[in-house]
Amino acid sequence: MKKILDSFIDRLHKKLIDVGSESNVQSNSRDQSEQQQQSEQQQKQNQTSIIHRKKGVKDRKGKRHRYMQNTKSPILPNDIDKYVTHHYADNNGVRIHYVTIGEGQTSIIMIHGFPDFWYTWRNQMIALMSKYQVAAIDLRGYNLSDKPQGGEYYLMLHLVSDIQAVMRHLEKDKAIIMGHDWGGAIAWFFAMYFPTMTERLIILDFPHPSGFIRELAQNPQQQKQSAYARDFQQEGAHKHLTPESLSAWVHDPVARERYIEAFRRSDFEAILQYYKQNYPRQPYQALPGIDLTQVNKVQAPVLQIHGLQDQWLLPGGLNSTWEWLENSWTLLTIPQAGHFVQHDAADLVSRTIENWLTL
């Protein structure tokens, strides 16, 4: 078991290094020029929206803005934890930790996957904070959220209701829902179960659940790539995980330290319950406890972003997604990005989301 889990971590780490190296080779002067222009523009936006909004100062509409940063430098992604506000939403006695930044009227709720925590969205939070109230959560079992003991507490029903609890705490009837990996699965189900609460849906590297079930049933390659999930479903699998191994995919040394700290606060047995309780098993006809034929089609507009180098969720799962949607579907595939597409192609992902939200 330990050798299998170590192999999974090593392959994930190596693949991300290869993707990062290939992306660096393909960069050119045009990309550098665009990055410089974006940096200058971002600095101007931050100077306008952050520096001049000091506590007690009113804007033209008379609204007061709390002080966030008194510097001419924009917020750096790795430092975003210094500027967010921390909150806890209660869901039947389980406290869900989340952070917010930005003061827009519309809220975007960001849901991370495995192995991760709210900090994964730092680039996108900075890109969107000037126009939206951004709320990034820690899933139950992770970091500062509660870690109830017992597999039944990690059924999809409870994971979806945690998003409801955060929305209630934000006093919002509707929000933009955004998720990656397991967060993407939760986001899909939230949109299907609560269409009136879902303004728009943004999914990163997780096929529609029906597409994923189909691939597991029919695609031998997807079955092979999902072998790690079978290992995670085994009794005692959590004993082979460490904060250091789970954060091996994070290249930035500063960010990695934050991940190690967050994983030290996490419950490994709890986070593997996501796989034990919800990951499909043979004969791959449905998700545990969920009849996909009885759930609604997604009513909200959908933006789906997928890194084609994702080894764990193959792009075949994207086929026929339109069959499960009632609204528009925008798909962006990124050839050189892997599973953690929000990091591998951070600028492109952020710009795509920002532009799509204006359509």
Side-chain angles (χ1 to χ4, degrees):
M1 174 67 68
K2 185 177 187 300
K3 290 182 179 179
I4 294 175
L5 294 176
D6 289 343
S7 175
F8 163 69
I9 294 296
D10 290 343
R11 283 188 293 142
L12 176 59
H13 193 196
K14 181 179 183 301
K15 188 64 178 178
L16 290 171
I17 291 176
D18 292 343
V19 171
S21 299
E22 187 174 348
S23 298
N24 288 337
V25 170
Q26 293 182 349
S27 64
N28 52 39
S29 58
R30 180 178 178 182
D31 294 331
Q32 294 174 353
S33 176
E34 290 178 354
Q35 291 175 0
Q36 183 176 358
Q37 292 176 4
Q38 292 168 8
S39 178
E40 292 174 353
Q41 185 178 23
Q42 181 68 46
Q43 184 172 354
K44 291 180 181 178
Q45 291 175 347
N46 276 277
Q47 290 173 355
T48 300
S49 63
I50 298 176
I51 298 172
H52 299 296
R53 290 184 174 184
K54 296 182 179 179
K55 186 175 182 180
V57 178
K58 295 183 178 180
D59 61 16
R60 286 179 294 178
K61 295 183 180 180
K63 182 179 179 180
R64 291 185 181 272
H65 298 273
R66 64 181 174 83
Y67 172 74
M68 293 174 58
Q69 184 185 26
N70 188 16
T71 174
K72 293 183 179 181
S73 299
I75 295 177
L76 298 175
N78 282 353
D79 293 335
I80 195 170
D81 52 335
K82 300 176 183 177
Y83 302 99
V84 298
T85 302
H86 294 260
H87 312 266
Y88 288 89
D90 180 81
N91 185 15
N92 292 323
V94 178
R95 294 197 317 161
I96 302 301
H97 170 257
Y98 69 98
V99 301
T100 58
I101 195 169
E103 298 180 349
Q105 293 298 313
T106 302
S107 293
I108 301 177
I109 298 179
M110 298 179 171
I111 317 168
H112 68 82
F114 171 91
D116 224 328
F117 72 116
W118 72 262
Y119 188 71
T120 194
W121 300 110
R122 54 196 181 277
N123 289 285
Q124 290 71 46
M125 294 171 75
I126 289 173
L128 298 169
M129 58 179 277
S130 64
K131 297 179 181 178
Y132 303 92
Q133 179 192 44
V134 181
I137 79 169
D138 282 329
L139 288 172
R140 57 173 61 193
Y142 286 88
N143 194 33
L144 297 175
S145 286
D146 280 354
K147 305 155 185 70
Q149 300 300 302
E152 67 275 13
Y153 290 104
Y154 297 89
L155 288 166
M156 185 60 67
L157 174 65
H158 297 303
L159 306 179
V160 170
S161 67
D162 286 343
I163 310 307
Q164 279 186 294
V166 170
M167 288 185 64
R168 287 194 300 269
H169 200 254
L170 289 169
E171 299 181 344
K172 297 291 184 179
D173 297 323
K174 180 179 287 192
I176 298 166
I177 307 299
M178 178 171 167
H180 168 255
D181 186 70
W182 273 112
I186 296 167
W188 278 119
F189 280 108
F190 185 90
M192 288 187 280
Y193 285 133
F194 304 106
T196 62
M197 300 178 71
T198 309
E199 185 167 338
R200 288 181 178 237
L201 181 64
I202 304 171
I203 303 292
L204 281 66
D205 279 72
F206 197 90
H208 186 282
S210 294
F212 186 46
I213 289 286
R214 180 196 64 219
E215 293 302 297
L216 281 172
Q218 301 177 8
N219 187 340
Q221 188 61 35
Q222 182 60 71
Q223 294 173 10
K224 179 180 178 181
Q225 299 307 109
S226 294
Y228 77 94
R230 305 287 159 245
D231 299 327
F232 285 166
Q233 291 175 332
Q234 300 302 312
E235 187 69 26
H238 63 282
K239 297 177 182 178
H240 303 292
L241 303 179
T242 67
E244 290 74 19
S245 65
L246 288 176
S247 59
W249 63 272
V250 184
H251 300 300
D252 185 302
V254 175
R256 186 182 297 119
E257 284 302 314
R258 286 174 168 80
Y259 271 88
I260 291 174
E261 292 173 3
F263 291 147
R264 284 173 179 164
R265 291 189 289 262
S266 302
D267 185 323
F268 295 164
E269 186 171 14
I271 66 180
L272 289 192
Q273 290 292 355
Y274 286 72
Y275 290 90
K276 294 178 180 180
Q277 303 302 320
N278 303 293
Y279 203 93
R281 289 178 167 84
Q282 290 181 326
Y284 305 121
Q285 295 177 346
L287 292 173
I290 297 175
D291 184 354
L292 288 171
T293 64
Q294 299 300 314
V295 297
N296 299 320
K297 289 187 175 182
V298 175
Q299 305 294 312
V302 177
L303 169 63
Q304 197 165 4
I305 301 175
H306 201 92
L308 295 182
Q309 298 299 318
D310 190 331
Q311 296 184 81
W312 323 117
L313 296 164
L314 302 182
L318 303 173
N319 295 333
S320 303
T321 298
W322 53 84
E323 295 182 2
W324 306 299
L325 311 179
E326 289 284 5
N327 212 311
S328 63
W329 177 47
T330 303
L331 173 65
L332 171 66
T333 59
I334 305 178
Q336 303 307 323
H339 179 68
F340 294 92
V341 66
Q342 71 271 35
H343 299 284
D344 295 348
D347 290 341
L348 177 57
V349 168
S350 297
R351 284 187 280 112
T352 299
I353 294 172
E354 187 175 16
N355 291 334
W356 181 76
L357 290 174
T358 64
L359 296 178

